[in-house]
Amino acid sequence: RLLAISLGITSIVLVVQIVGAVLTGSLALLADAGHMFTDAAALIVALIASTVAARPPTERRTYGYQRAGVFGALTNAVVLIVLAVVVGVEGVRRLLEPAEAEVQGGLMLVVAVVGLVANAVALWLLSAAQKRSMNVRGAYLEVLGDLIGSAAVIIAAIIIITAGWMPADAIASLAIAVLIIPRAFGLLREVFSVLAESAPSDTHVSEIREHILRTEGVVDAYDIYVWQLTRGAPVFTAHVVV
């Protein structure tokens, strides 16, 4: 439900930003619209993945479909990286080859403020759920990045309005690209950790083994395995001799 509401908000603002980018000639606003588009795509992926992940286990898939959320997060991470590269290249090109047309800072500012408010609402809606789901976490990071991007566009618009310095637009788009990369790789690292079946970062296998061995009647414990199906869904098995 929260993902669907966030998707509705994002889709409306996406249309507003695209129209605003065309009318103002702002690359930063277009970059923000591009990021908003990936937000919408990320929310769609997360929505589908959440629906699939909620399906009950079967005899064929005894753990159910919880890994669907991990693949959704992987898709979002890749899309974020591609977007950052495209925006970065276009931003550098704009700086090296300044456009003759001026950017309309006033309209650019209005559209950016609308995007900022919408992203703040979507971020608030997803803030609790992202702590429990890696899939929703991917969508949450997309929206967070767009919130920061909207703030960068607002700053660029104010500079253009007050000082008339047009390169601020391209610099804002580069700032958006730079902010996207670390979050994308952080999400990608978490996805690969799950797919590699690594133990959760807050889990210590040696402590688990010692705890089991201290239990009365336990002779030995070995073949201890800890991994996670997705964020918040750890799995533990052990061979215990009693």
Side-chain angles (χ1 to χ4, degrees), residues 77-95:
V78 172
V79 169
L80 274 171
I81 292 171
V82 172
L83 174 69
V85 171
V86 171
V87 170
V89 170
E90 181 60 21
V92 171
R93 190 193 67 77
R94 256 301 164 103
L95 285 175

Side-chain angles (χ1 to χ4, degrees), residues 69-71 73-74 77 134 186-196:
V70 179
F71 292 116
L74 175 61
M134 185 184 301
L187 181 60
L188 204 58
R189 184 170 59 250
E190 187 175 3
V191 167
F192 282 128
S193 176
V194 171
L195 295 180

Side-chain angles (χ1 to χ4, degrees), residues 118-141:
N119 282 310
V121 173
L123 202 69
W124 175 73
L125 288 172
L126 299 175
S127 59
Q130 63 94 17
K131 296 176 182 177
R132 301 186 302 271
S133 168
M134 185 184 301
N135 175 46
V136 177
R137 173 71 173 170
Y140 176 86
L141 287 176

Side-chain angles (χ1 to χ4, degrees), residues 137-228:
R137 173 71 173 170
Y140 176 86
L141 287 176
E142 292 267 12
V143 177
L144 176 62
D146 207 51
L147 178 73
I148 297 171
S150 294
V153 176
I154 289 172
I155 294 171
I158 292 173
I159 292 174
I160 291 172
I161 292 170
T162 56
W165 194 57
M166 296 302 160
D169 179 60
I171 291 172
S173 67
L174 288 173
I176 294 172
V178 169
L179 289 169
I180 290 173
I181 290 293
R183 294 179 299 102
F185 277 104
L187 181 60
L188 204 58
R189 184 170 59 250
E190 187 175 3
V191 167
F192 282 128
S193 176
V194 171
L195 295 180
E197 300 193 337
S198 302
S201 58
D202 58 347
T203 302
H204 305 283
V205 176
S206 59
E207 291 183 10
I208 294 174
R209 184 174 186 277
E210 290 171 6
H211 177 76
I212 295 172
L213 289 173
R214 285 198 301 268
T215 304
E216 185 180 354
V218 172
V219 177
D220 197 7
Y222 54 93
D223 289 344
I224 297 175
Y225 300 108
V226 184
W227 69 102
Q228 52 185 340

